[in-house]
Amino acid sequence: SRGRSNTGLDINDWSSPHSLLVTSISAPRVLLDGRLTGPTTVVVEDGVVSEVLEGAAPDADIALASGVLTPGLVDIQTNGCFGVDFITATDADWRRISHLLPGTGVTAFQPTYITAPLEVLLSGLKRAGAVLGSLPGAQAIGVHLEGPFLSPAKPGVHDPRYLVAPTPERVAAILDTLTADGTKGLVTM
C-alpha cells in the first residue's frame, strides 16, 4: 500500500528510529540523471545512495506502488510555510513544518527571517536553536537573517524602521546567538 513499507512502517514518519534501517526503495518511476526510468530499486547504505538497480526488487524495504522517486529538494530561502512565519515559530510549529515538508519533496530547508527589531530576531534565533537538531523530518540547514544590517538607501521590501548599523555590539549579539545551542546561519549585510 502507498506510503507504507513492507514492515508496515509509515514512511512519512521521519521521527521513527526505524526510518534509519531503510536500505532499499523500489518505485515504478525514478528520476535518474535527468530522465524518468523505471521500475527501479534504489539501495541506500549509511544514508547514501550506493546502488541503483533495474527493476522493482520484491524484497525492497519500501515498495512504492505509484509516484516518482526523486532526490530530496533543498529550499535555500523560505520565510515560512503552512501558515507559519519562521521568525515567530514555536517548537510545535517547527516540528509540524519539518514533518509536512517532505510531502512537498523538500528534505532540507534554510528558514529566512526578514528584517525586524533586533530583539525579535534574537528571540526567533533562540527558539530555532532549541529545536534545529531534533526535527523529525525535513532538516533546517541554518537560519538566514536578511538584515537588520541592510542599506537604508535601498531597503527593498524591508521596513526601514528596523534597519540598523552593524555596530560591534549588535553583530556580537547576533553571532553569539547564531553559534549557541547548535544554531548556525547566514547574515546578509
Side-chain angles (χ1 to χ4, degrees), residues 78 81-82 86 96-109 138:
T78 181
C81 53
F82 306 111
F86 283 119
R96 184 170 70 84
I97 289 167
S98 174
H99 179 74
L100 292 172
L101 277 175
T104 69
V106 173
T107 57
F109 63 103

Side-chain angles (χ1 to χ4, degrees), residues 104-183:
T104 69
V106 173
T107 57
F109 63 103
Q110 185 168 39
T112 302
Y113 297 175
I114 195 165
T115 298
L118 186 59
E119 302 76 35
V120 173
L121 293 171
L122 294 173
S123 177
L125 287 173
K126 288 176 185 172
R127 282 192 308 280
V131 298
L132 287 190
S134 64
L135 295 175
Q139 296 300 301
I141 55 173
V143 177
H144 176 200
L145 295 183
E146 288 185 314
F149 309 129
L150 302 176
S151 170
K154 293 189 177 191
V157 299
H158 299 266
D159 189 332
R161 294 178 298 165
Y162 305 129
L163 298 175
V164 296
T167 65
E169 296 79 21
R170 290 174 179 147
V171 171
I174 286 177
L175 293 179
D176 288 347
T177 306
L178 275 176
T179 57
D181 299 324
T183 307

